[in-house]
Every structure is written in C-alpha cells, then in structure tokens.
Amino acid sequence: MMGNQQQDITAYAAALRAALKSMPEDDRSDIVQEACTHLEASAQAGRLEATLAAFGPPESYACQFLEEPAGASAEERSVWTAAGSFLGSVVMGLLAVLFVAVAIIDILVPAFGIWVNPASGAVYFGLAGMTSRAQELAGAWLSLASLAAALATALLSYVSARAALREAGRYMKASSRTSPVSGTR
C-alpha cells in the first residue's frame, strides 16, 4: 500500500474516532477497526478513492451509528432475544401438551403410570404389563401432577411468547428508524 493511501486511511480513522467520541470505547474501536479494514482492502484493490467517496465524510459516516442509542449490537441482541424467547415458548407449549396427554392417558388407561419392581428396584414409566409384581408409585397423583405441570409450562410458554413479541416489536421499531446508506456498513 502506498504511503499517501495509508495516510488517508489513518486520517479518516482519526476523524471517525473523533466523530464517535460519545460512544463507548469498545463500540467506537470496533467501528473504526472495521472501517480501516475495509479501506485497506479497497486500497489494495485500487479502489480507495471510490470507497472513501461512498463512505462520505467521517462525521456523516459516524451519524449512522450515533442515531441508534444502543448501536447495532443492541439490535442484534434484540433479534436473538426474540428468537430465544420464541423457541422457549414453543418448547414450553409442547411440554404443556405432553403433560396434558399424560394426565388424559393416566385417567383413561389405569395401567399407565409410574411403576416400581420391588424385586429389582427398577422404576419405569408406562404400562404395568412389564411385571406382575410391579407397584404403582403415583396412582391418581400422576394425573394431578401432570395437570399442574401442564398449567405451569403453559404459563411459561405464554410469558415467553409475550417476551418474544415485545423484543420483535423493539427490533422492528429500531430498524424502521434507521436506514443505513447502501454500502456503508
């Protein structure tokens, strides 16, 4: 890379760092480093002038990062939080359905339950047909416990789904406020 090009990149980086002074140091360093990496690659490809023109003045380039109070990383966290909340909601919903199914099966099929073989001490879940000496551990409590667990997991599913919708709304609101200039990020 030629000396003048390196000076141009260094000057642009210094001006960009100064324009981003209101940001936390880690975020500011990440943005300046990413810009420098892009500018150095452009210089090696012989396109530094075009890239600098696309970036615009450092102060203008910095504005796209300053308009978002928490920066782009907050948007990314919002997306992942919404996705995690949604996934948690689905898992909890499926568990609630499973617990309801266990309660219904236990009511309709009395041989279904939690059993113990007194000779071996083995505990198993399912039908009593595995051994004639098996003793049921839960009895009617299995249905009640399953319904209580279904209610608890359904509530967790609801809370998680609301969190996912709230985070998705925050992301949509934040992304509608910012419209980065093409080719600048």
Side-chain angles (χ1 to χ4, degrees):
M1 194 170 1
M2 298 169 80
N4 286 342
Q5 288 181 329
Q6 187 59 47
Q7 288 176 347
D8 290 345
I9 293 171
T10 303
Y12 193 91
L16 180 59
R17 179 171 289 283
L20 295 170
K21 68 183 173 219
S22 64
M23 293 184 79
E25 177 58 33
D26 289 345
D27 293 340
R28 181 175 47 228
S29 293
D30 289 347
I31 293 167
V32 171
Q33 180 60 41
E34 185 177 332
C36 285
T37 301
H38 190 73
L39 291 172
E40 288 168 358
S42 294
Q44 289 179 352
R47 296 180 285 119
L48 179 61
E49 300 303 321
T51 303
L52 286 170
F55 274 24
E59 297 77 16
S60 298
Y61 184 69
C63 284
Q64 69 181 324
F65 300 103
L66 297 174
E67 290 174 4
E68 305 166 15
S73 61
E75 281 185 27
E76 291 172 9
R77 282 193 303 271
S78 182
V79 168
W80 286 109
T81 301
S85 294
F86 177 74
L87 181 62
S89 177
V90 169
V91 169
M92 290 297 152
L94 291 173
L95 280 173
V97 170
L98 178 68
F99 286 130
V100 168
V102 166
I104 291 172
I105 291 171
D106 188 47
I107 292 169
L108 296 177
V109 182
F112 184 81
I114 301 175
W115 301 90
V116 64
N117 182 343
S120 66
V123 177
Y124 57 94
F125 182 76
L127 296 174
M130 295 185 89
T131 177
S132 61
R133 293 177 283 164
Q135 298 172 347
E136 188 171 13
L137 291 178
W141 292 103
L142 179 60
S143 297
L144 294 174
S146 292
L147 289 175
L151 182 62
T153 53
L155 180 63
L156 287 172
S157 177
Y158 171 76
V159 169
S160 187
R162 284 191 50 138
L165 290 173
R166 188 171 35 254
E167 286 300 320
R170 285 181 188 151
Y171 173 74
M172 296 301 286
K173 188 175 181 180
S175 62
S176 69
R177 279 189 277 136
T178 60
S179 55
V181 179
S182 177
T184 60
R185 271 197 183 174

